[in-house]
Amino acid sequence: MATADSPTPRLTIRELAAELGVSHAAVSYALNGKAGVSEETRARVVEAARERGWQPNTAARALAGQGTDSIGLVLAREPDALASDTFYLRFIAGIQAALSPRGMTLTFQIADSLASEIEVYRRWAAQGRVDGVIVVDPRIDDPRPAVLVRLGMPAVLVGGQGHAEQTLAAVGADDASPMAELVQVLRERGHRRIAYVAGPSDFAHAVDRAESYREAMTRAGVAPLTVIHTHYGADEAAAAWRALRPSEPTAIIADNDQLAVAVLRCARADAVAVPEKLSIVSWEDSPLCEATSPPLSALWRDPFALGRRSAAAILAEISEHSAEAIAIEAAVLRDRGSIADAPQAH
């Protein structure tokens, strides 16, 4: 027996047909814009469906080849880590901002591993849950593109620009130029011992940035320090700080805002003044960088705009297979005060 709190039962095409005294096929043709029904009947069916809040079943629409009006996004992240990752929160907002005016939705899921992420894609493909997917965090020897191609699922890889082995449409930016410019800024302030605390060693962008750092340092005529890869955790940042201390870096570039803040905290705990004794720069900018003391200098790019651009790319890939490679603006430095001249050696 239904109660006041029970959900309203879903209206089926068959029930709507019985109410209107027309055939099941006539209702189906009318709601799906197909020939075979008069315009008068079509108008009556559509109006009755609208009044009753009827929506087509997603799986049925997918099986009929009509699409689901949904784009998928899976993040292989710990939920706690995502809660503090302002980049992806703004990125997701940008995707939804591009989809909403089209009446489309974002189907979002968190996975605990790359293997779990791939299983989500397999399940979505089998169920016809989404029309296409936005794939993030390209990996070295990434298995996802081949899987998605085999599944026949339209996809766009965000951050994958510049990889020859890539088989998916891509949205990405040049990271080499911003790294070279950042190293040059630090060299002009007298820094020679510039360290880089990087992201995961299997993330393509982290490996690319690390190589860009080494090349930029070499071109600047100084020896690069050992790159330390992390998974963006505070504990790993602290371990990186301890590993770098013997090298006495005068500047540290951190791969994102969370790492930069963790390094700042470690420096304070060891009574290393920032920026007088140590300059710190975050590769990713966020409100977190502005909330520290001193505010952290950072390389800025707009995650919201990246989300919008990624959504546009997957829609183009679905409809026209036209999103082969989309370049976005490179990151630019916002100097807020955590960069100073290198301390004089005594």
Side-chain angles (χ1 to χ4, degrees):
M1 179 178 176
T3 67
D5 294 328
S6 299
T8 302
R10 180 184 179 83
L11 180 69
T12 67
I13 288 180
R14 195 171 300 280
E15 290 168 341
L16 187 59
E19 286 186 21
L20 297 175
V22 297
S23 70
H24 175 275
V27 173
S28 179
Y29 292 156
L31 292 175
N32 291 313
K34 295 182 179 179
V37 63
S38 71
E39 288 306 313
E40 180 183 354
T41 299
R42 186 188 309 279
R44 190 158 64 96
V45 170
V46 170
E47 178 61 20
R50 184 190 65 78
E51 290 176 351
R52 291 160 177 76
W54 184 87
Q55 292 292 331
N57 178 272
T58 298
R61 292 186 66 216
L63 288 172
Q66 298 165 10
T68 66
D69 287 338
S70 183
I71 300 301
L73 173 67
V74 186
L75 288 183
R77 287 280 199 285
E78 292 293 332
D80 290 347
L82 181 61
S84 59
D85 192 330
T86 59
F87 179 89
Y88 272 116
L89 294 178
R90 289 181 290 165
F91 175 72
I92 291 169
I95 296 173
Q96 191 60 67
L99 297 181
S100 292
R102 297 171 176 264
M104 301 185 71
T105 61
L106 177 66
T107 298
F108 173 65
Q109 188 162 335
I110 297 176
D112 59 9
S113 67
L114 197 63
S116 297
E117 179 181 339
I118 290 173
E119 286 308 307
V120 173
Y121 296 142
R122 294 187 192 280
R123 185 169 68 252
W124 282 352
Q127 297 173 347
R129 287 285 302 279
V130 298
D131 296 330
V133 293
I134 296 172
V135 182
V136 298
D137 296 331
R139 306 303 212 279
I140 301 300
D141 299 323
D142 199 327
R144 296 173 297 174
V147 170
L148 290 165
V149 169
R150 286 197 299 271
L151 292 173
M153 182 175 286
V156 167
L157 187 65
V158 179
Q161 188 169 327
H163 292 269
E165 71 278 10
Q166 181 177 301
T167 56
L168 300 181
V171 177
D174 169 28
D175 280 352
S177 296
M179 181 67 82
E181 292 170 7
L182 179 54
V183 168
Q184 182 61 30
V185 166
L186 293 170
R187 285 291 296 116
E188 289 173 355
R189 302 297 292 266
H191 294 276
R192 297 182 60 84
R193 296 188 303 279
I194 304 168
Y196 181 43
V197 180
S201 59
D202 63 333
F203 278 26
H205 83 264
V207 173
D208 289 347
R209 290 177 186 177
E211 184 58 30
S212 296
Y213 157 78
R214 296 186 186 97
E215 291 176 356
M217 292 286 284
T218 300
R219 285 197 302 270
V222 292
L225 301 181
T226 300
V227 173
I228 300 178
H229 286 276
T230 73
H231 286 85
Y232 302 124
D235 290 344
E236 291 176 294
W241 168 257
R242 292 191 296 271
L244 289 170
R245 289 285 277 151
S247 302
E248 297 184 338
T250 61
I252 294 179
I253 303 168
D255 200 56
N256 73 357
D257 53 345
Q258 297 173 68
L259 285 175
V261 170
V263 169
L264 175 61
R265 288 172 179 162
C266 290
R268 281 181 174 169
D270 285 354
V272 177
V274 176
E276 293 81 6
K277 297 295 184 182
L278 176 71
S279 293
I280 301 176
V281 186
S282 169
W283 184 275
E284 298 290 354
D285 196 10
S286 78
L288 187 61
C289 294
E290 298 180 84
T292 59
S293 180
L296 288 168
S297 300
L299 287 169
W300 179 85
R301 55 180 174 162
D302 188 348
F304 187 86
L306 178 60
R308 292 183 67 99
R309 192 76 64 86
S310 300
I314 187 58
L315 293 176
E317 180 67 12
I318 291 168
S319 63
E320 305 167 12
H321 302 285
S322 62
E324 296 181 0
I326 297 177
I328 60 174
E329 296 78 9
V332 294
L333 179 62
R334 287 181 167 177
D335 190 351
R336 295 194 178 95
S338 64
I339 297 176
D341 293 343
Q344 297 297 314
H346 297 290

